[in-house]
């Protein structure tokens, strides 16, 4: 009989794994986190890729992080500081731009330059989305009830949900149905007419998905991204001081303070299953560590098809895991800059450089970028979401110099022609060429360029096919269907084995919600 | 049928003698109501008509397939005694490939399995299970056809009770299939079929029905639902419901008209309604194109919602919010139609049995794989008709030789996609170009076909609007996306065939459940009208 050293082992030190461990420790469970890489954070990491320049390598902004987790884990005391991203600037090919910022009236005036009707509609739209997000937000904090079950918990969960949504007044209810089913372009066309505004707004409907703005289902993603909340300010996006790695850092610090053991450079090669139950893990170096419960923050593909002997898995589970769709569609280009970037439409310094710069001049622009990807090419003229973290947090780069983070779509994981290792530089070129059209000094000031393709994302972080949400956020795989019926409550068909990453409800983004909800379920199951 | 109404007032006036309008009229007449149907065109049927398009040649000018038509209506109205006969072609879909190969999916699944094995052994093994699943899921949908959508978010027990049957059916599927149903509802047909099959030809032959009437590509969410919808009542044939009407689909409309007349309804053709007359907020009759006024206790419009409310009622009579909702109904043209008169039967390599009862007896699909279809949709997104369109072709003369002179044939094509609003130019000028593209595409799969063509007719989206009253050429009177079905159809709050105007009803495809030749909207509307106490 091998000694059981831990109550729980959490595989993966990404933000959800860390949150999960912290909550278990908080309930008195002796917990160990095992992280393959030398640093914690998974896709929320800050690395000095080029001397003196700190990059939020993968994820770069935060908004959806659950406030209750910040409170419960005292994250602010442990160093979490979110600096607001106050504006979005959309530069246009003709040299004009659309600017929307924290100043309500300034946004109004800017939109009115394109369409006075849209400027008025924008206020209504924002208000409507605010109410929608509030109405739906409670879903982020609940365990999905199982519609096929007759258990009291599930039935009452379903009833509560039905009441919650049916209590909406008519207009809100119908708007919600539309948000759940329409394309972001069609949804926005009900409100607006000007292309630059619709282009930029529709962009948040495609982030992390393999959908275009004209794809039904993209309006849901719009809503998902609208549910952000920082310090009580709805929908605000922010940048963590120190990069997104600082978020993982704060959670890790809190976890350690609660007694969690964390080991890096500790890749897990196998979950040890005996008699239909997980009893521990084996590391790549051969060590075996035993625990009463094993929690995986990795996605189902990694968890079930790589870490467990397939002969031990029920056929139906394997079938479900295989049906789960990843379809990574995004890449990242991180640049170290010798000087501030100069926007052709707004040269010189200014508050606009402390916000997001969105290359999304129209719905058709993004739709054409999507068309390229559908058939296995990266977008020749991609959608790009740019921030310059050093403008907000000067510690990210040496004085006078900058880091520029570019989130790019689309970069389909499966290429029609060749592979990503061969195409990486061409992809980087396409991104820089596109940006250079709006930032004329860009090519002159690049000191270093890091290009991350979906393959790189997969290799480094373990996100299958480079999908940043551990699986598409489409209606077929959300809520009680995420990642599959029977896996939607963080439990798996193997006893004492749980999932806690973004492939479980409520899905992706730096929320910590799956980590926390999984912990609550694990604790419910706990036998003394 | 007559040219002028016999009376000055009726209990119910039905505007439009398309198949839904006729179904409503027949049921109301059978229930004893005094009904007048007014149709603008010279004959009944609307988009379910068989007309002489060239001398000696009759074509199904709109829909060609009546597979979705509700069996319940056929029996309630005893349509088979009124000349309605069916043709169940042995072939469902013939899908030629560019390399000369072809895949035929037969009504008999065993024959299909043998064919599919030529493309993929594993697909052939999975096909029967696929058909079983589609059939089970389509059964759930079929129960939804004949109930009126509840007025959510208000909960009215009386409205929800009829849905109990559907809910129980869903539960009876068992946990696995029930979850599959919920999973498939929002899926794209491409993803749905990728889960089951590997053969591109097979996926295209099955999946193309997922875009019927839709301005969506096969990768768009909602197309899996449309595939299931098109499979309602398919029975053993599984993935697609298909039945032709003997003598042409117009015979179905004629049979409906006969039954209505037999029960006392009057049907006037060649008469246009120019206005629905309001008395305060009450529909009190209609005004005809010639200025004549006919009174009615209730007016039912089978015309699409935009045309009804803006064209016949008038926006100034309606609340601003309702007007905005109607204005925002997503109406999209998806197809254009082409009819060809042929001097002989075309040959398709791979169609070993060319005659009646052979490979070509059902639908011929030019769509080698789903990427082809997705690219066709890409063109349409930006305001062009597809340079390589999906062609859904039927040669009705194979089962109905009387539709053309002896030895000659009619070939009817639904060409996807043809958007209503073109980026450059207008449909009247582009008619010829469209024909060229269609014929070029066809000729690549049926060499020599152009030599057989003796006459052509092109029906563009603009023609669909002008001739058949289908606004923006949307044959479904409103796209059937998940946002425009059930209580959202035609607009939220008005899912039960009523209008904000008292005694005005809708009964066309723009209402639940939507389009296709089902007769369901007409049936449900009639039930709603009969359930009301008329005051």
């Amino acid at each position: 009989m091998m000694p059981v050293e831990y109550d729980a082992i959490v595989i993966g030190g990404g933000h959800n794994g860390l949150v999960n461990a912290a909550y278990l420790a908080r309930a008195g469970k002796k917990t160990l986190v095992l992280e393959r890489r030398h640093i914690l954070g998974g896709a929320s990491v800050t690395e000095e890729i080029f001397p003196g320049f700190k990059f939020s390598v993968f994820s770069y902004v935060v908004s959806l992080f659950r406030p209750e987790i910040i409170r419960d884990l005292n994250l602010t005391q442990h160093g979490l500081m979110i600096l607001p991203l106050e504006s979005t600037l959309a530069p246009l090919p003709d040299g004009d731009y659309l600017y929307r910022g924290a100043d309500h009236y300034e946004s109004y005036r800017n939109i009115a330059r394109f369409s006075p009707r849209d400027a008025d509609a924008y206020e209504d739209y924002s208000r409507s989305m605010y109410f929608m997000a509030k109405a739906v937000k409670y879903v982020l904090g609940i365990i999905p009830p199982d519609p096929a079950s007759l258990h009291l918990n599930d039935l009452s969960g379903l009833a509560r949900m039905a009441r919650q949504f049916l209590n909406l007044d008519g207009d809100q209810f119908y708007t919600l149905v539309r948000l759940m089913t329409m394309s972001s372009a069609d949804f926005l066309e009900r409100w607006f007419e000007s292309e630059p505004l619709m282009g930029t707004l529709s962009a948040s409907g495609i982030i992390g998905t393999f959908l275009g703005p004209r794809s039904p289902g993209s309006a849901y993603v719009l809503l998902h991204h609208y549910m952000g909340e920082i310090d009580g300010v709805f929908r605000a996006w922010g940048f963590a001081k120190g990069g997104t790695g600082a978020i993982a850092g704060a959670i890790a610090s809190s976890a350690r303070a609660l007694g969690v053991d964390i080991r890096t450079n500790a890749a897990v090669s196998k979950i040890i299953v005996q008699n239909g139950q997980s009893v521990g893990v084996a590391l790549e170096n051969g060590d075996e560590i035993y625990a009463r419960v094993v929690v995986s923050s990795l996605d189902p593909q990694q968890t079930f098809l790589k870490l467990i002997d397939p002969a031990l898995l029920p056929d139906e589970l394997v079938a479900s895991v295989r049906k789960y769709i990843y379809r990574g569609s995004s890449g990242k280009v991180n640049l170290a800059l010798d000087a501030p970037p100069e926007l052709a439409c707004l040269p010189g310094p200014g508050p606009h450089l402390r916000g997001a710069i969105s290359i999304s001049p129209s719905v058709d622009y993004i739709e054409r970028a999507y068309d390229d990807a559908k058939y296995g090419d990266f977008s020749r003229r991609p959608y790009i979401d740019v921030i310059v973290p050093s403008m907000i947090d000067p510690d990210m780069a040496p004085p006078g110099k900058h880091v520029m983070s570019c989130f790019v779509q689309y970069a389909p994981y499966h290429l029609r022609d060749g592979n990503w290792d061969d195409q990486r530089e061409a992809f980087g070129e396409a991104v820089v060429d596109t940006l250079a059209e709006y930032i004329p000094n860009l090519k002159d000031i690049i000191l270093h360029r890091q290009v991350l393709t979906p393959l790189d994302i997969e290799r480094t972080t373990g996100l299958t096919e480079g999908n940043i949400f551990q699986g598409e956020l489409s209606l077929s795989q959300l809520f009680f269907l995420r990642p599959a019926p029977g896996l939607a409550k963080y439990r798996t068909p193997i006893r004492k084995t749980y999932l806690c990453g973004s492939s479980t409800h409520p899905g992706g983004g730096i929320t910590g919600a799956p980590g926390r909800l999984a912990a609550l379920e694990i604790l419910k199951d706990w036998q003394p | 049928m007559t040219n002028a109404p016999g009376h000055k007032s009726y209990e119910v006036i039905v505007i439009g003698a398309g198949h839904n309008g006729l179904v409503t009229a027949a049921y109301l007449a059978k229930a004893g109501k005094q009904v007048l149907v007014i149709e603008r065109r010279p004959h009944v049927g609307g988009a379910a008509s068989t007309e002489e398009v060239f001398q000696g040649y009759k074509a199904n000018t709109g829909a060609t397939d009546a597979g979705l038509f509700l069996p319940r209506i056929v029996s309630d109205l005893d349509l088979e005694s009124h000349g309605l006969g069916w043709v169940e072609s042995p072939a469902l879909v013939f899908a030629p490939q560019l390399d000369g190969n072809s895949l035929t999916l037969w009504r008999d699944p065993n024959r299909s399995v043998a064919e599919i094995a030529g493309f993929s052994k594993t697909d052939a093994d999975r096909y029967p299970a696929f058909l079983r699943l589609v059939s089970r899921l389509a059964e759930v949908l079929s129960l939804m056809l004949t109930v009126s959508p509840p007025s959510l978010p208000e909960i009215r027990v009386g409205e929800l009770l009829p849905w109990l049957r559907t809910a129980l059916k869903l539960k009876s599927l068992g946990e696995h299939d029930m979850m599959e149903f919920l999973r498939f509802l929002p899926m794209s047909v491409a993803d749905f079929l990728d889960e089951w099959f590997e053969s591109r030809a097979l996926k295209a032959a099955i999946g193309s029905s997922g875009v019927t009437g839709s301005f969506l590509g096969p990768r768009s969410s909602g197309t899996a639902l449309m595939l299931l919808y098109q499979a309602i009542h398919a029975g053993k044939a599984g993935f697609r419901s298909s039945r032709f009407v003997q003598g042409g689909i117009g015979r179905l409309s004629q049979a409906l008209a006969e039954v209505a007349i037999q029960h006392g309804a009057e049907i006037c053709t060649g008469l246009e309604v120019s206005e629905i007359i309001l008395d305060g907020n009450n529909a009190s009759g209609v005004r005809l194109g010639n200025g004549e006024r006919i009174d009615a206790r209730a007016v039912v419009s089978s015309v699409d919602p935009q045309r009804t409310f803006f064209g016949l009622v008038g926006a100034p009579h309606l609340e601003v919010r309702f007007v905005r909702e109607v204005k925002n109904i997503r109406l999209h043209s998806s197809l254009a139609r082409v009819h060809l008169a042929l001097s002989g039967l075309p040959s398709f390599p791979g169609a070993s049995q060319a005659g009646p009862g052979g490979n070509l007896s059902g639908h011929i699909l030019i769509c080698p794989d789903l990427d082809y279809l997705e690219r066709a949709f890409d063109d349409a997104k930006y305001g062009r008709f597809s340079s390589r369109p999906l062609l859904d072709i039927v040669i009705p003369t194979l089962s109905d030789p009387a539709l053309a002179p002896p030895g000659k044939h009619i070939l009817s094509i639904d060409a996807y996609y043809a958007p209503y609003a073109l980026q450059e130019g207008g449909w009247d000028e582009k008619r010829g170009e469209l024909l060229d593209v269609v014929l070029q595409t066809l000729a690549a799969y049926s060499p020599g076909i152009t030599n057989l063509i003796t006459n052509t007719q092109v029906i563009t989206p603009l023609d669909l609007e002008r001739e058949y009253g289908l606004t923006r050429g949307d044959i479904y009177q409103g796209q059937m996306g998940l946002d425009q079905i059930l209580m959202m159809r035609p607009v939220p709050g008005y899912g039960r065939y009523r209008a904000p105007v008292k005694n005005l009803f809708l009964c066309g495809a723009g209402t639940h459940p939507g389009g296709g030749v089902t007769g369901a909207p007409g049936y449900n509307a009639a039930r709603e009208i009969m359930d009301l106490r008329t005051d």
Side-chain angles (χ1 to χ4, degrees):
Chain A
M1 238 326 247
M2 297 306 269
V4 176
E5 300 168 61
Y6 289 97
D7 287 322
I9 290 175
V10 178
I11 304 173
H15 84 280
N16 276 314
L18 292 169
V19 164
N20 184 267
Y23 270 89
L24 292 176
R26 201 165 163 254
K29 306 302 172 198
K30 187 147 172 50
T31 311
L32 169 68
V33 174
L34 295 167
E35 166 55 44
R36 179 166 61 89
R37 293 188 78 202
H38 61 286
I39 50 172
L40 294 171
S44 323
V45 288
T46 306
E47 295 184 70
E48 197 167 321
I49 299 297
F50 189 62
F53 293 80
K54 302 208 188 81
F55 294 69
S56 281
V57 179
F58 303 100
S59 62
Y60 55 103
V61 284
V62 64
S63 120
L64 302 170
F65 203 82
R66 304 305 308 145
E68 59 270 17
I69 301 177
I70 299 179
R71 270 194 321 268
D72 290 347
L73 301 182
N74 285 323
L75 293 182
T76 4
Q77 263 112 296
H78 286 276
L80 181 69
M81 185 192 306
I82 312 278
L83 307 164
L85 257 181
E86 297 206 296
S87 59
T88 303
L89 174 78
L92 303 173
D94 61 2
D96 200 348
Y97 64 90
L98 173 65
Y99 179 82
R100 287 176 300 128
D103 182 334
H104 174 73
Y105 292 108
E106 187 168 15
S107 302
Y108 183 97
R109 278 198 307 276
N110 262 273
I111 298 171
R113 285 194 304 112
F114 293 91
S115 158
R117 238 194 53 180
D118 280 5
D120 283 326
Y122 187 67
E123 300 192 37
D124 287 338
Y125 171 79
S126 303
R127 210 180 357 251
S128 180
M129 293 300 277
Y130 174 84
F131 280 118
M132 282 297 100
K134 269 187 84 167
V136 174
K137 218 171 58 105
Y138 107 100
V139 174
L140 296 185
I142 65 169
I143 317 288
D146 179 356
S149 109
L150 292 171
H151 285 139
L152 192 58
N153 271 343
D154 291 305
L155 290 178
S156 60
L158 286 167
R160 220 172 306 131
M161 266 190 71
R163 250 202 318 278
Q164 176 91 359
F165 292 126
L166 295 174
N167 274 339
L168 294 172
D169 76 37
D171 278 347
Q172 290 169 338
F173 180 78
Y174 303 132
T175 304
L176 183 63
V177 173
R178 289 181 168 137
L179 277 168
M180 299 298 289
T181 56
M182 285 178 102
S183 70
S184 48
D186 280 343
F187 183 78
L188 293 167
E189 264 163 33
R190 294 178 61 89
W191 294 89
F192 306 114
E193 58 184 7
S194 64
E195 276 303 335
L197 182 60
M198 287 198 289
T200 318
L201 290 176
S202 73
S204 39
I206 54 132
I207 305 279
T209 72
F210 208 96
L211 296 174
R214 294 199 183 282
S215 306
S218 52
Y220 168 71
V221 186
L222 201 74
L223 179 65
H224 188 96
H225 281 98
Y226 232 99
M227 292 197 269
E229 172 170 13
I230 303 180
D231 300 345
V233 178
F234 237 114
R235 205 253 176 263
W237 285 87
F239 177 76
K241 176 148 181 67
T244 49
I247 302 174
I251 307 170
S253 168
S254 171
R256 286 193 182 100
L258 289 164
V260 175
D261 281 346
I262 303 179
R263 293 191 213 170
T264 53
N265 291 312
V268 171
S269 65
K270 204 167 74 125
I271 296 176
I272 305 171
V273 177
Q274 285 167 9
N275 301 323
Q277 168 168 319
S278 287
V279 298
V281 303
L283 300 184
E284 273 179 9
N285 66 8
D287 289 349
E288 288 182 356
I289 312 170
Y290 292 85
R292 297 174 63 186
V293 148
V294 173
V295 190
S296 172
S297 71
L298 308 182
D299 64 46
Q301 176 98 350
Q302 308 286 327
T303 306
F304 295 110
L305 304 184
K306 300 232 170 86
L307 297 184
I308 301 183
D309 177 0
L312 300 170
L313 297 171
D315 287 339
E316 210 175 294
L317 172 64
V318 176
S320 299
V321 169
R322 292 224 165 91
K323 286 182 196 173
Y324 188 60
I325 294 177
Y326 295 91
R327 269 204 292 248
S329 61
S330 37
K332 195 95 191 313
V333 172
N334 296 315
L335 304 170
L337 302 177
D338 203 18
E342 291 276 323
L343 277 161
C345 60
L346 268 181
H352 60 284
L353 292 176
R354 291 195 292 277
I357 299 164
S358 176
I359 309 300
S360 50
S362 67
V363 167
D364 272 0
Y365 177 93
I366 304 176
E367 187 69 23
R368 284 184 199 279
Y370 171 60
D371 288 343
D372 283 341
K374 276 192 304 196
Y375 309 111
D377 289 321
F378 59 78
S379 310
R380 301 299 152 188
R381 317 287 272 64
Y383 159 69
I384 311 173
D385 191 23
V386 180
I387 66 167
V388 188
S390 41
M391 290 281 181
I392 314 161
D393 178 6
D395 293 333
M396 298 296 281
K401 307 197 191 295
H402 292 280
V403 281
M404 180 182 270
S405 157
C406 312
F407 172 85
V408 186
Q409 273 185 213
Y410 296 74
Y413 180 79
H414 295 286
L415 287 172
R416 177 175 57 86
D417 204 11
N419 63 56
W420 270 116
D421 286 324
D422 301 329
Q423 301 255 25
R424 184 180 296 107
E425 292 317 307
F427 174 63
E429 288 301 312
V431 173
V432 171
D433 285 346
T434 305
L435 286 174
E437 287 175 27
Y438 301 93
I439 305 173
N441 72 336
L442 186 66
K443 290 189 182 177
D444 300 325
I445 58 175
I446 296 178
L447 294 170
H448 180 79
R449 181 176 89 189
Q450 181 194 41
V451 180
L452 297 161
T453 68
L455 186 57
D456 297 319
I457 296 172
E458 182 182 61
R459 280 180 183 144
T460 314
T461 65
L463 288 166
T464 301
E465 296 190 9
N467 180 292
I468 65 177
F469 293 149
Q470 274 196 4
E472 273 207 332
L473 284 187
S474 62
L475 285 182
S476 301
Q477 352 190 109
L478 282 176
F479 206 45
F480 54 75
L481 294 172
R482 189 173 188 84
L487 290 177
K489 291 194 192 182
Y490 315 94
R491 298 169 183 79
T492 71
I494 302 172
R495 286 196 312 278
K496 311 294 185 193
T497 319
Y498 298 84
L499 293 172
C500 74
S502 297
S503 63
T504 55
H505 177 73
I510 310 177
T511 68
R516 173 177 167 268
L517 290 171
L520 298 180
E521 290 301 287
I522 294 167
L523 293 168
K524 265 195 214 147
D525 286 353
W526 207 277
Q527 279 140 27
Chain B
M1 276 164 255
T2 61
N3 287 336
H7 302 274
K8 279 281 162 223
S9 101
Y10 293 80
E11 273 189 272
V12 182
I13 293 177
V14 177
I15 305 174
H19 82 281
N20 278 313
L22 290 171
V23 166
T24 299
Y27 274 91
L28 291 178
K30 188 159 178 267
K33 303 239 180 259
Q34 188 207 17
V35 180
L36 169 69
V37 183
I38 307 178
E39 166 59 43
R40 178 169 58 89
R41 297 183 81 218
H43 51 262
V44 302
S49 300
T50 307
E51 306 174 61
E52 189 165 40
V53 288
F54 320 116
Q55 189 163 46
Y57 291 80
K58 296 213 190 92
N60 296 314
T61 47
T64 49
D65 204 320
L68 290 179
F69 197 74
L70 291 181
R72 168 192 311 217
I73 301 178
V74 175
S75 61
D76 283 353
L77 301 180
D78 202 16
L79 294 177
E80 278 159 6
S81 310
H82 287 271
L84 180 65
W86 299 102
V87 175
E88 293 200 345
S89 59
L92 272 186
V93 160
F94 172 75
Q97 308 295 306
L98 266 175
D99 61 4
N101 257 336
S102 69
L103 171 67
T104 307
L105 294 175
W106 301 91
R107 201 172 289 267
D108 175 355
N110 294 322
R111 282 178 87 179
S112 300
V113 167
E115 290 252 355
I116 296 168
F119 286 80
S120 158
K121 188 77 187 48
T122 41
D123 285 359
D125 289 337
R126 307 200 71 194
Y127 187 66
F130 175 76
L131 290 187
R132 266 196 309 274
L133 177 71
V134 167
S135 169
R136 273 158 69 76
L137 300 185
E139 238 190 292
V140 177
L141 285 187
S142 76
L143 292 178
M144 296 189 202
L145 293 188
T146 48
V147 277
S148 303
S151 335
L152 298 175
E154 289 110 55
I155 309 205
R156 301 209 181 109
V157 178
E159 293 177 3
L160 286 174
L161 232 35
W163 285 82
L164 200 55
R165 253 178 85 211
T166 311
L168 288 174
K169 184 80 195 178
L170 192 56
K171 262 301 205 204
S172 81
L173 289 179
E175 181 169 339
H176 180 264
D177 279 3
M178 179 175 143
M179 290 304 211
E180 291 291 79
F181 182 75
L182 293 176
R183 220 164 55 83
F184 290 144
L185 277 183
M187 264 185 146
S188 72
V189 78
D191 282 346
F192 182 42
L193 293 173
D194 277 345
E195 277 190 15
W196 280 88
F197 302 118
E198 58 180 10
S199 155
R200 296 168 76 92
L202 178 62
K203 286 191 274 192
I206 298 174
S208 43
S209 58
V211 304
T212 315
S214 308
F215 197 70
L216 293 174
R219 290 178 193 237
S220 301
S221 160
T223 47
L225 180 58
M226 179 55 77
L227 176 75
L228 292 177
Y229 184 77
Q230 297 290 328
I232 292 175
H233 305 136
K236 293 231 179 66
F239 75 90
R240 180 176 183 158
S241 203
S242 177
R243 272 206 300 188
F244 301 133
V245 175
Q246 215 137 51
I249 203 171
R251 283 288 182 84
L252 170 60
S253 306
Q254 270 161 20
L256 286 168
E258 268 178 46
V259 169
I261 290 172
Q262 190 185 69
H263 288 290
E266 262 184 65
I267 302 183
C268 290
T269 54
L271 268 187
E272 179 158 12
V273 170
S274 62
E275 191 192 333
I276 294 173
I277 300 174
L278 298 189
D279 185 7
N281 192 41
N282 184 48
S284 60
V286 302
R287 190 172 308 285
L288 303 178
N290 60 14
E292 205 186 320
R293 180 201 165 110
I294 316 277
D295 292 331
R297 307 259 301 272
V299 175
V300 190
S301 171
S302 71
V303 161
D304 72 72
Q306 275 189 1
R307 189 166 295 245
T308 302
F309 292 113
F310 297 153
L312 298 179
V313 173
H317 297 284
L318 301 162
E319 228 209 337
V320 165
R321 277 160 57 140
F322 182 77
V323 167
R324 203 170 76 190
E325 285 287 350
V326 172
K327 185 155 119 30
N328 279 327
I329 296 175
R330 292 187 307 106
L331 287 154
H332 282 301
S333 159
S334 51
L335 56 72
R337 294 202 153 108
V338 174
H339 299 291
L340 304 175
L342 301 178
S343 58
L345 195 59
S347 73
F348 287 86
S352 53
Q353 307 159 49
N359 304 69
L360 308 179
S361 57
H363 290 257
I364 301 163
L365 282 183
I366 305 298
C367 183
D369 62 58
L370 289 180
D371 269 0
Y372 174 97
L373 185 54
E374 186 69 23
R375 285 187 196 275
F377 177 56
D378 287 343
D379 283 337
K381 273 190 312 197
Y382 305 112
R384 294 188 305 269
F385 51 85
S386 310
S387 58
R388 290 197 177 75
L390 156 70
L391 301 180
D392 185 337
I393 302 166
V394 175
I395 307 178
T397 33
L398 278 176
S399 45
D400 248 322
L403 293 176
K408 315 261 189 243
H409 289 279
I410 268 276
L411 185 139
S412 297
I413 307 169
D414 282 351
Y416 287 77
Y417 295 79
Y420 179 78
L422 290 172
Q423 186 74 290
E424 274 168 35
W427 272 114
D428 288 332
E429 307 117 60
K430 296 281 186 181
R431 193 187 295 277
E433 264 181 67
L434 175 77
L435 180 63
D436 286 343
V437 168
V438 170
L439 294 183
Q440 244 168 57
T441 307
L442 191 50
Y445 293 83
S446 176
I449 193 169
T450 34
N451 301 328
L452 300 173
I453 301 174
T454 55
N455 225 323
T456 66
Q457 189 197 51
V458 178
I459 303 177
T460 68
L462 192 54
D463 294 328
L464 285 171
E465 185 179 63
R466 280 191 299 228
E467 185 58 31
Y468 298 88
L470 293 164
T471 303
R472 298 184 69 82
D474 189 331
I475 60 171
Y476 283 177
Q477 288 191 0
Q479 287 292 289
M480 284 173 68
L482 293 172
D483 60 310
Q484 301 200 147
I485 55 170
L486 296 175
M487 67 278 172
M488 307 288 282
R489 189 174 190 83
V491 294
Y494 291 94
R496 295 174 71 84
Y497 311 93
R498 290 159 179 74
V501 172
K502 271 186 69 180
N503 292 312
L504 173 59
F505 301 87
L506 295 173
C507 73
T511 58
H512 173 78
V517 181
T518 64
Y523 174 86
N524 292 335
R527 184 191 53 241
E528 289 297 320
I529 297 167
M530 288 190 292
D531 282 351
L532 288 178
R533 240 165 279 286
T534 32
D535 18 71

